[in-house]
Amino acid sequence: MSGKVDFGFESVDEHDKARRVAGVFDSVATRYDLMNDLMSGGLHRLWKHFTIDRSGVKPGDRVLDVAGGTGDLARAFCERVGPEGRVLLTDINGAMLQLGRDRLLDEGLRVDAVRCDAEHLPFPDGSFDCVSVAFGLRNMTHKDVALREMFRVLRPGGRLLVLEFSRVWAPLAPAYSLYTLKVLPLLGRLVAGDSASYRYLGESIARHPDQDTLAAMMRTVGFERVEYFNLTAGVVALHRGYRL
Ligand code: SAM
């Protein structure tokens, strides 16, 4: 018997969510980078920069970027780990992954791309010094399963970074809801000819666990020293936890 899960504000069969999410990213892939800049006013670059800054990644490290899409984090990690290190760009979606891999290879960066589901990572236990997931966890059907997998593939002492939309500072909430639920679908329609995918984006932001709930979920699967950093008044939060 299968349960129901959120797909934005819709409640769908849990076996159906991954297919619906795949439909969204198949549809947005080619305009993904442009829309990211447009919708965030370029802020996503600063949020990602902050994430890299807090990663503690150093030359020679092995890094796994989960749900890496078009490869922004993977690119920055490549520069950090240097020729002795290794960065794996992974995503469940072939269209997003191909764009990311091609872009990084065109830039002369050495990155391995693996298509895989975060809920079933095809890597042995303890393989990585750092695992990152940016704006991906929100889309996963079983977030607890994905977090457990990320914990499993980290070596003792390794760390997970989760960059994700979160709960905005309360006084800003009404304006922010207006933006995510009304303006984003409109922008999606005007720029990408696709309001449904951007409606899902806004709704999935509203449904995602808040800062403390996500921190508790990370602790439940075994992460320690879990903390989070609110960015842009909590529009986004970076969570960091260690496998000790
Ligand atoms: N990390 C990139 C960034 O920050 O620009 C891409 C983020 S994009 C909003 C979300 C990505 O999550 C998509 O590429 C999607 O295919 C991927 N994704 C969704 N569910 C996934 C899953 N179960 N396993 C791996 N990737 C998944």
Side-chain angles (χ1 to χ4, degrees):
M1 215 180 76
S2 68
K4 292 283 183 186
V5 292
D6 290 336
F7 174 79
F9 289 168
E10 269 183 75
S11 175
V12 299
D13 190 288
E14 65 177 330
H15 296 306
D16 213 27
K17 174 158 173 169
R19 185 183 62 79
R20 300 281 296 269
V21 169
V24 167
F25 289 102
D26 281 340
S27 167
V28 305
T30 51
R31 292 215 168 76
Y32 180 78
D33 292 322
L34 168 71
M35 287 300 284
N36 247 0
D37 276 331
L38 197 63
M39 292 180 312
S40 73
L43 282 172
H44 76 105
R45 294 167 185 264
L46 297 181
W47 299 330
K48 287 169 179 163
H49 184 80
F50 183 82
T51 302
I52 300 292
D53 212 49
R54 296 294 149 130
S55 70
V57 166
K58 52 187 191 321
D61 276 357
R62 293 155 302 162
V63 180
L64 173 68
D65 188 28
V66 172
T70 56
D72 285 347
L73 283 188
R75 175 206 280 120
F77 281 130
C78 280
E79 285 160 12
R80 282 252 170 155
V81 302
E84 305 303 318
R86 188 169 182 213
V87 177
L88 265 85
L89 170 67
T90 66
D91 201 285
I92 199 172
N93 186 288
M96 293 289 284
L97 187 63
Q98 192 172 344
L99 281 163
R101 187 200 55 184
D102 290 353
R103 193 166 67 144
L104 299 193
L105 291 178
D106 286 349
E107 292 173 19
L109 295 169
R110 199 171 64 88
V111 67
D112 296 306
V114 179
R115 185 173 180 184
C116 59
D117 184 347
E119 296 183 24
H120 309 279
L121 292 173
F123 309 109
D125 297 2
S127 303
F128 299 99
D129 300 290
C130 178
V131 174
S132 59
V133 57
F135 305 109
L137 189 66
R138 201 180 68 247
N139 301 294
M140 294 170 193
T141 307
H142 306 103
K143 298 173 184 48
D144 54 337
V145 175
L147 288 172
R148 195 165 289 123
E149 276 292 86
M150 297 183 219
F151 183 81
R152 181 184 65 74
V153 300
L154 277 171
R155 67 156 170 87
R159 65 226 82 100
L160 171 68
L161 298 158
V162 184
L163 181 66
E164 190 50 273
F165 293 106
S166 204
R167 203 61 75 241
V168 74
W169 184 47
L172 297 180
Y176 184 61
S177 292
L178 188 72
Y179 179 70
T180 52
L181 299 176
K182 302 285 181 217
V183 178
L184 286 186
L186 187 67
L187 271 179
R189 182 159 66 78
L190 296 178
V191 180
D194 175 4
S195 65
S197 295
Y198 292 90
R199 189 172 63 243
Y200 162 73
L201 169 63
E203 294 179 0
S204 67
I205 290 171
R207 281 282 179 267
H208 191 64
D210 65 20
Q211 287 86 334
D212 289 326
T213 307
L214 178 54
M217 288 167 71
M218 287 173 65
R219 288 188 192 101
T220 299
V221 304
F223 284 101
E224 295 182 58
R225 289 170 53 197
V226 175
E227 60 185 331
Y228 61 77
F229 308 89
N230 281 320
L231 305 175
T232 319
V235 164
V236 161
L238 173 67
H239 283 67
R240 183 174 62 185
Y242 291 81
R243 176 178 187 169
L244 296 180

